[in-house]
Each structure stands twice: as C-alpha cells, then as structure tokens.
Amino acid sequence: MSETGNRLRKQLESPNFDPQNYVKQLSQQSDGDRDLQEHRQKIQNLADETAQNLKKNVYKNYRQFIETAKEISYLESEMYQLSHILTEQKSIMESITQALLSTDKDETSKEMQAAFPKETEEVKQRTLTSLLEKVEGVKNIMDTPGRHLIYNGDLAEFDVDNMSPIQKVHAFLMNDCLLIATWLPNRRGTVKYKYNALYDLESFAVVNVKDNPPMKDMFKILMFPDSRIFQAENSKVKKEWLEILDETKKNKVSKDRHKKEEEVPTSPVRAEVSTNPFDMDDDEDTVDGEESVNLSLEWIQELPEDLDVCIAQRDFEGAVDLLDKLNEYLRDQPVTPKVKELRGKVDERVRQLTEVLVFELSPDRSLRGGPKATRRAVSQLIRLGQSTKACELFLKNRAAAVQTAIRQLRIEGATLLYIHKLCNIFFTSLLETAKEFQMDFAGNTGCYSAFVVWSRSAMRMFVDAFSKQVFDSKESLSTAAECVKVAKEHCQQLTEIGLDLTFTLQSLLVKDIKAALQSYKDIIIEATKHRNSEEMWRRMNLMTPEALAKLKDEMRSCGINFEQYTGDDCWVNLSYTVVAFTKQMMSFLEEGLKLYFPELHMVLLESLREIILVAVQHVDYSLRCEQDPEKKAFVMQNASFLHDTVLPVVERRFEESVGKPAKQLQDLRKSTRPVRINPESTTSVV
C-alpha cells in the first residue's frame, strides 16, 4: 500500500477518530467532485483490503475456531454438572444446619403431638386414605405404619432444559415422602390421577426458582443426577409449598435423630419365660447374639451420614472403604433386628452410590480422556460386587467413544489417506481399551468373553465406515487392495495382547471384496472384447526406445520374459491387444492376491479363468478364420506367447502367494494347448 494509504489507515484506526469532523475537513480541502470521488475510491479500496485480510484470517484459523467451539461446549456441559453438584451440596449443608438449630422447636412439637396422638394420627390417615382412593396404582402407599398426609395440591411441570410445559400433576406431601401423580385424561369413577413417582424426603432438595416473566411461581426439586421443575398457581401457593416442604424435611430429620439417640443406650434384655423346654436354647442364643453385637460405636452410628457426605462430595473411594469396614466388622456377627435395620439404611446408600457410579460411566458424560478416565468408577463398582454391570457400562462407554471418534474424522483428500487415519484411530482405541480392560478386570476372568463379543461388534462398526468409503464409492481395485492391506496390518497389532480379530475382519469384508473382484473382472472382460473387435493383427510399434524400455520393465516386474518378442528399433512381435490384455490381467492378479484370503480362493480362480478364456477364445477364432498365411503365423505367435509364457507365470505367481496349485488354470492351459500347424490349415488348438 502507498504512503497515502498508510496515513489514511492510521487516521481511520485512531481511537479519537470523529467521522463528522473528518468529512467536514475533507469537504473544505477538496477542490471539487473529482477529489471526493478519488478519496471515496481510496476508502473503498481500504475497506476491500480489510475485508480480504479478515477473510484470510478466518480461513487460516477455521479449524482452531471449530475446535475452540467444541471445547467451549464440553466446558459448558462440565460446568453445568459442577454447578449442579455444588447446589446439591449447599442444600445438604443448609438442611443439616437448620436441623441442628431446630432441636428445641422439634421437642416442643413432639410434646404437642404427644398430647393428642391418637386423634391426630387417625384423622390424618383417614384424610390420606380418602385422597389416595383417587390415585391409580398406589395400593401399597398405606402399608408403611405412621404415614399420614401433610399437604397436597395441583402443580404444572415444566421441562428443565427449554422451560416448556410438560404436564399437569397433583402432589401429595406425606410425613416421610412426596408422591407425584399425573392427571388422567379419561377419568373412571372417582379415580382422577395416575401414579408417577414417589420420592423419599431424604433423597431430594428443594430450590426456589427466581421469577423471570412469564416463568414465575416455580420451584425445583433436585434428585441427583436429575431434577424437576414445578409451577404453583400463584406466589402464595408457591410460598406455602416451600415452607411446608422445608418444615416437613426438618421434622423427619429430627425424628430420625431422636430415634437413634433413644436406641443408643441399650438396656439388658430379659428373655421371656417359656413353658416349652425346647425353646430355651433358642431364646438363650438370641439374647446372647443381640448382646454380642455392639452397634453403639461412634463410627457405626455416623456411618449413614458419612456415606451421604462421601457421595455428595464424590469421594467414591472413601464411601466404599466405609462399606468394607462395616462388612468386615459384621462378618462373623449374628443377624439381629438392629443389624437388619442398619443394613437397610446402608443398602439404600449403596443403591445411591451405585446410581452415581453408573452415571459416571454413561455415554452421556464427557468421553474425553480415553479409557483411563473410567478407571475410578469401574474399580469402585467392582469393589461393590457389581463387576458385571461395570463391564457392561465400561464397554458401552468405549463403544460410544469409538463411534464419536469415527464420526468426527473428516473425509478429505485421497481415500487411502482417510483409511490410514481411520485405522489408526480405531485400532489404537481398541488396543487402549483392551489394555485398560485387562488392568481393571484382572481378577474377573468371566468378563473376558464379554470383551471379545464387544470387539466383534466394534469391528462391524469399523467395517461399515471402511466399506462405505472404499467399496461404495467405486474406488479402483488397486486402491481397495491397498486399503485392505492397511487394515490387515493394523489388525495384526492386536495380537500383542492376545486378541486376533483378523478372521472377523476378513469375514466382514468378504462380501464387498467378492463384489469388487467380480465387478473389476467384468470391466476387464468388456475392455478385452472391445479391443478384440478392433483387432488387425499387426505388430506393435512403440515409436521411441524409451517406451520400449518402459514396456520391458513392466513385463519384467510381472515375471514375464519379454526379450524374445522385441524386434529391431521399437517394434514388438506381438499385437497391441495381446500386450494390453497381458498387462491388465497381471495387474488384476497382483491386486487380487493382495485381497486374497481362503474364502475368496474359488472366486479369484474363476475370475482369472474367465478373463483368460476370453483372450484364448479370440485367438482360437482368429486362427480358424484368418486366410492370410503371414497373419496366421503372427496370430500363432501371439497364441504361443499366451500359452507358453503368460499362463505359466500366472499359475506360478498364484501358487507362490497362496500356497496351493491353481488346478483350474492348469486344466485350462492343457485344454488350449496350441500345435504347430500348416499355415493353410484351419485347425488351431486341440
């Protein structure tokens, strides 16, 4: 750019640039319309140059933009999950703090309830029973003793992601759980609702949702790892729901804590006197067993809460360590009612821990990090005795990761380059997965069969992508042969860990390779027939010594002795049709041998036989029909070249590569053996 253009650029890029003052000064300094037009053209050129530079920068950094966008998407997903976990932890800490502060209030309410226990209990249970008669599928709700209704009302449920309305529900809050029922569109008698979900008060947290018109009067229920959003009729009803839910959760926490405190000071248990002498031994054993299990230890009393904290803080190893410690302590202890009760509480935490670990291994989670990223969750599931589930989830996670990697692979450039990338991604992932599987499931040999089955299914996914690019796009046989060779070489890498999938790869490719061989055979036959129709039986003139030397090199690379058929200067004592046929057939043989495996033995032999038969029949027909003695002798020379030179090379090359004799080709050569004939005779072969 000129010096004037640089000054103009600096002036326009100045942070203190004022367009109005600039135009005013320009109008005063210009002599007329011509100066303004020239200045306008300079600004336009500068704008075009800037736009061009911007476009170049965009193209230059296009891939970085795409990768950055993907990273941002991954980070956004992970930050959302982190925010969800922090919110849940905050709600848990708040509920614990409020529960500690409300001890006095709970004691007062306990005294009030003790004054009118029967009447209040009966009225509440009667009300709950009458309401639940309107809900379909809740027959077992009243089986829990002491359960009664606290509050109920209509709510509207919204989608968490896009805040769109889902359905109308009716919620029943009880002293230990929350029942969600959906409205029935076709009501039958007194039944208005249908059972949807039942949540224990300890399993969820309630969060207020800030009003954002038109979305208002909403609150969220968090059940890790899911959540649901409900909308009340108005702000007053929403406030009542939040207050009553909070108060009910506090009351349950306080009640459970007092129950534990009352159970801690255990008093000696007197055995009932039985008149049956045969019951005395059993009673004594029961009393001794109950007295021998000491559950008043501090770490046992705090175990359920410690497990909740470990799960909330994602300390999976700590949670499993606590479970192992408890199992070790109770291993040789008798199963008393208190032990059963403790086991019931712990089993609920084990279920929650298992659900969290299962979510960690789900394909919906981030798939980055490779197989090692799943090791933590898999090892803890195995310690919990869930090795089968851990194996299933691990393999599903890796299948999704491999499929995602294949889908993200760009189809660009030559097919062979794409196949190199595809094989590198797939077989490297398969090898890493196998090594991680051996490490994680070293003590669970029963899971190895599942890995072999998964490997076969993964190979099918690879072959689908491979065939779509190589065979469906009608690539040349040479390209297909190179691609199959690359896939076989990568597949051999798996043998270092004792996994041989070569047979699986071949069995999945056999159909496509067979179709490719037959298709290319048909192309050669059609081309040979077309050349035969134009055959003049004249010697081949290559015009230049370089062309003759090149042809000799090509024939020598195929194993054919060609020296005796070259004449003076650049002449070849064979016809163009026979030479072209020989080159095309030898190329087909070499590419077919690259694709060869036992299932294709007969297919390749029959294809070679059909191709050779077309050329042999044409020579035979020409010998019988040709009347000119010189041309007939030339045709005989071409027939001798095919029979004595080309066919033995084909048979020998096939047997060296495959390890089996080509019996069909031997029979064909014997049946078409040329003889020395009288030039005037019309007999050519016997």
Side-chain angles (χ1 to χ4, degrees):
M1 185 181 288
S2 63
E3 184 178 353
T4 306
N6 288 330
R7 285 204 307 270
L8 179 60
R9 178 190 291 274
K10 291 180 180 179
Q11 187 176 3
L12 294 177
E13 290 178 348
S14 174
N16 300 323
F17 176 73
D18 187 355
Q20 293 182 354
N21 292 335
Y22 176 75
V23 173
K24 186 183 295 184
Q25 293 176 4
L26 186 63
S27 301
Q28 293 174 356
Q29 295 173 2
S30 61
D31 294 337
D33 182 63
R34 185 175 179 180
D35 290 345
L36 291 176
Q37 289 291 344
E38 290 179 356
H39 203 80
R40 179 181 179 277
Q41 187 62 38
K42 292 179 182 178
I43 295 177
Q44 184 62 42
N45 293 339
L46 184 61
D48 293 341
E49 183 182 355
T50 304
Q52 191 67 23
N53 291 335
L54 181 61
K55 187 181 295 184
K56 288 181 180 178
N57 289 332
V58 170
Y59 289 153
K60 183 179 178 181
N61 300 308
Y62 182 73
R63 176 168 290 184
Q64 286 84 345
F65 290 157
I66 297 298
E67 293 177 354
T68 303
K70 290 180 180 178
E71 291 294 330
I72 292 174
S73 177
Y74 291 142
L75 288 174
E76 183 181 3
S77 174
E78 293 174 358
M79 289 302 296
Y80 175 78
Q81 295 169 1
L82 182 60
S83 174
H84 181 78
I85 294 169
L86 291 174
T87 303
E88 184 181 8
Q89 289 184 350
K90 180 181 177 183
S91 63
I92 292 173
M93 295 302 296
E94 288 179 351
S95 62
I96 293 174
T97 304
Q98 292 175 358
L100 293 174
L101 296 175
S102 61
T103 304
D104 296 337
K105 185 177 179 181
D106 291 338
E107 291 179 356
T108 304
S109 61
K110 185 177 178 181
E111 293 176 0
M112 293 295 294
Q113 288 179 0
F116 311 97
K118 251 184 190 178
E119 182 181 358
T120 305
E121 190 77 18
E122 290 177 359
V123 171
K124 290 181 178 179
Q125 286 189 355
R126 198 161 50 242
T127 305
L128 177 61
T129 304
S130 62
L131 283 174
L132 292 181
E133 288 177 354
K134 301 177 182 179
V135 183
E136 183 181 82
V138 291
K139 293 182 179 180
N140 299 327
I141 293 293
M142 292 304 299
D143 292 348
T144 303
R147 178 174 287 171
H148 57 267
L149 183 68
I150 302 295
Y151 192 74
N152 74 98
D154 292 333
L155 297 170
E157 184 175 7
F158 282 71
D159 189 90
V160 178
D161 297 326
N162 53 28
M163 299 303 291
S164 59
I166 299 178
Q167 59 187 346
K168 189 177 180 182
V169 301
H170 195 90
F172 298 87
L173 176 62
M174 286 159 270
N175 59 323
D176 61 345
C177 61
L178 175 66
L179 171 66
I180 304 296
T182 57
W183 283 72
L184 284 174
N186 300 320
R187 301 180 183 177
R188 297 181 296 275
T190 59
V191 179
K192 295 182 180 180
Y193 316 107
K194 183 179 180 181
Y195 171 84
N196 178 261
L198 183 69
Y199 302 111
D200 187 17
L201 290 182
E202 296 177 346
S203 65
F204 67 85
V206 184
V207 179
N208 181 28
V209 178
K210 187 178 179 180
D211 290 347
N212 185 17
M215 302 301 173
K216 58 181 182 178
D217 303 328
M218 292 183 172
F219 60 92
K220 182 184 292 187
I221 294 181
L222 302 175
M223 304 82 61
F224 184 79
D226 301 319
S227 61
R228 299 178 71 170
I229 290 183
F230 298 101
Q231 183 183 45
E233 295 179 5
N234 50 53
S235 58
K236 181 180 178 182
V237 175
K238 170 189 173 181
K239 184 178 179 182
E240 290 178 359
W241 270 109
L242 292 176
E243 291 178 352
I244 295 175
L245 276 168
D246 186 53
E247 186 68 24
T248 306
K249 287 173 68 67
K250 292 178 183 177
N251 291 339
K252 188 172 187 307
V253 171
S254 177
K255 184 177 179 181
D256 292 343
R257 187 174 66 252
H258 288 318
K259 186 177 180 181
K260 291 177 184 177
E261 292 175 355
E262 292 174 358
E263 291 177 352
V264 171
T266 56
S267 56
V269 179
R270 290 185 59 188
E272 295 182 2
V273 179
S274 174
T275 57
N276 188 348
F278 298 100
D279 291 342
M280 293 180 64
D281 295 338
D282 295 339
D283 292 343
E284 290 176 0
D285 292 342
T286 303
V287 173
D288 294 341
E290 291 181 358
E291 290 180 349
S292 63
V293 182
N294 182 15
L295 300 181
S296 62
L297 299 176
E298 183 179 356
W299 69 272
I300 294 181
Q301 293 295 319
E302 296 178 354
L303 184 65
E305 288 77 9
D306 291 342
L307 288 174
D308 290 337
V309 173
C310 289
I311 295 172
Q313 294 180 348
R314 303 173 64 80
D315 182 12
F316 306 136
E317 294 82 358
V320 179
D321 289 342
L322 288 173
L323 292 172
D324 289 344
K325 184 178 179 181
L326 178 65
N327 292 332
E328 183 67 25
Y329 180 77
L330 297 178
R331 175 176 297 173
D332 299 326
Q333 303 291 345
V335 182
T336 64
K338 292 182 180 180
V339 172
K340 289 182 179 179
E341 183 181 356
L342 178 61
R343 285 286 190 189
K345 295 178 182 179
V346 172
D347 289 344
E348 177 63 23
R349 271 68 178 186
V350 171
R351 183 186 63 80
Q352 295 177 8
L353 177 60
T354 304
E355 289 177 355
V356 175
L357 293 173
V358 167
F359 178 72
E360 286 293 311
L361 291 173
S362 65
D364 298 333
R365 296 278 289 171
S366 176
L367 297 175
R368 297 187 303 163
K372 293 181 180 179
T374 62
R375 184 181 301 171
R376 185 184 180 209
V378 168
S379 61
Q380 302 313 314
L381 276 176
I382 293 174
R383 290 179 63 189
L384 289 173
Q386 302 281 348
S387 57
T388 303
K389 181 177 290 186
C391 175
E392 178 186 357
L393 293 170
F394 172 78
L395 295 178
K396 282 184 178 179
N397 181 281
R398 297 314 306 152
V402 172
Q403 188 174 15
T404 302
I406 292 177
R407 286 179 178 175
Q408 291 178 349
L409 183 62
R410 285 189 176 184
I411 302 176
E412 57 184 2
T415 300
L416 187 58
L417 177 61
Y418 171 81
I419 294 302
H420 271 289
K421 294 180 180 179
L422 176 65
C423 292
N424 185 53
I425 288 175
F426 174 76
F427 287 103
T428 301
S429 299
L430 198 62
L431 188 62
E432 291 177 353
T433 301
K435 291 180 178 179
E436 185 65 26
F437 190 90
Q438 285 182 324
M439 184 179 299
D440 292 345
F441 297 92
N444 296 273
T445 54
C447 296
Y448 279 64
S449 58
F451 178 76
V452 174
V453 173
W454 175 86
S455 300
R456 291 174 60 86
S457 65
M459 186 63 76
R460 291 191 192 95
M461 180 172 58
F462 164 76
V463 170
D464 288 342
F466 181 92
S467 299
K468 189 179 296 183
Q469 189 65 21
V470 175
F471 297 109
D472 294 353
S473 58
K474 304 298 181 184
E475 291 289 342
S476 65
L477 191 65
S478 59
T479 302
E482 287 297 327
C483 292
V484 172
K485 181 181 177 183
V486 170
K488 287 181 179 178
E489 290 174 352
H490 278 82
C491 192
Q492 288 295 323
Q493 297 176 1
L494 300 177
T495 56
E496 68 180 66
I497 58 169
L499 182 65
D500 190 356
L501 296 177
T502 306
F503 176 76
T504 302
L505 177 64
Q506 292 176 349
S507 63
L508 293 173
L509 287 175
V510 64
K511 182 179 178 182
D512 290 323
I513 295 177
K514 182 179 178 181
L517 287 173
Q518 292 177 342
S519 175
Y520 202 67
K521 174 205 69 176
D522 294 338
I523 293 174
I524 294 176
I525 291 175
E526 287 299 321
T528 304
K529 288 181 178 179
H530 179 72
R531 287 192 298 268
N532 291 344
S533 66
E534 300 176 351
E535 179 62 81
M536 301 298 291
W537 292 113
R538 295 175 180 174
R539 288 197 306 162
M540 187 177 179
N541 187 0
L542 295 176
M543 306 301 290
T544 63
E546 291 79 8
L548 180 61
K550 181 179 179 182
L551 179 60
K552 288 181 180 180
D553 291 339
E554 290 178 358
M555 290 297 179
R556 193 180 300 111
S557 65
C558 296
I560 296 175
N561 184 10
F562 201 65
E563 294 294 336
Q564 58 181 323
Y565 296 100
T566 57
D568 299 332
D569 297 331
C570 301
W571 290 91
V572 177
N573 297 325
L574 294 171
S575 73
Y576 167 77
T577 300
V578 172
V579 172
F581 167 79
T582 302
K583 290 167 61 178
Q584 203 166 19
M585 189 193 63
M586 294 305 296
S587 174
F588 177 80
L589 174 63
E590 292 300 326
E591 304 304 339
L593 291 176
K594 289 180 183 178
L595 294 167
Y596 177 86
F597 44 85
E599 288 82 0
L600 295 171
H601 183 82
M602 291 305 300
V603 176
L604 183 56
L605 268 181
E606 287 298 325
S607 299
L608 289 169
R609 182 180 177 278
E610 291 180 29
I611 293 172
I612 294 171
L613 197 57
V614 172
V616 170
Q617 288 175 346
H618 172 64
V619 173
D620 176 51
Y621 175 77
S622 299
L623 281 172
R624 285 188 281 107
C625 297
E626 186 61 57
Q627 299 299 324
D628 186 351
E630 291 184 3
K631 283 192 175 182
K632 201 162 192 174
F634 182 67
V635 174
M636 189 61 196
Q637 187 176 5
N638 282 272
S640 177
F641 170 73
L642 288 176
H643 183 274
D644 299 333
T645 304
V646 176
L647 291 184
V649 171
V650 173
E651 293 173 18
R652 185 174 65 254
R653 182 74 185 90
F654 187 92
E655 186 173 352
E656 288 175 354
S657 179
V658 174
K660 297 179 182 178
K663 189 174 183 302
Q664 287 83 348
L665 299 182
Q666 293 174 356
D667 295 341
L668 177 63
R669 184 161 63 92
K670 291 176 182 178
S671 65
T672 59
R673 178 168 51 87
V675 296
R676 298 295 177 183
I677 60 173
N678 185 346
E680 296 180 357
S681 173
T682 58
T683 305
S684 61
V685 296
V686 296

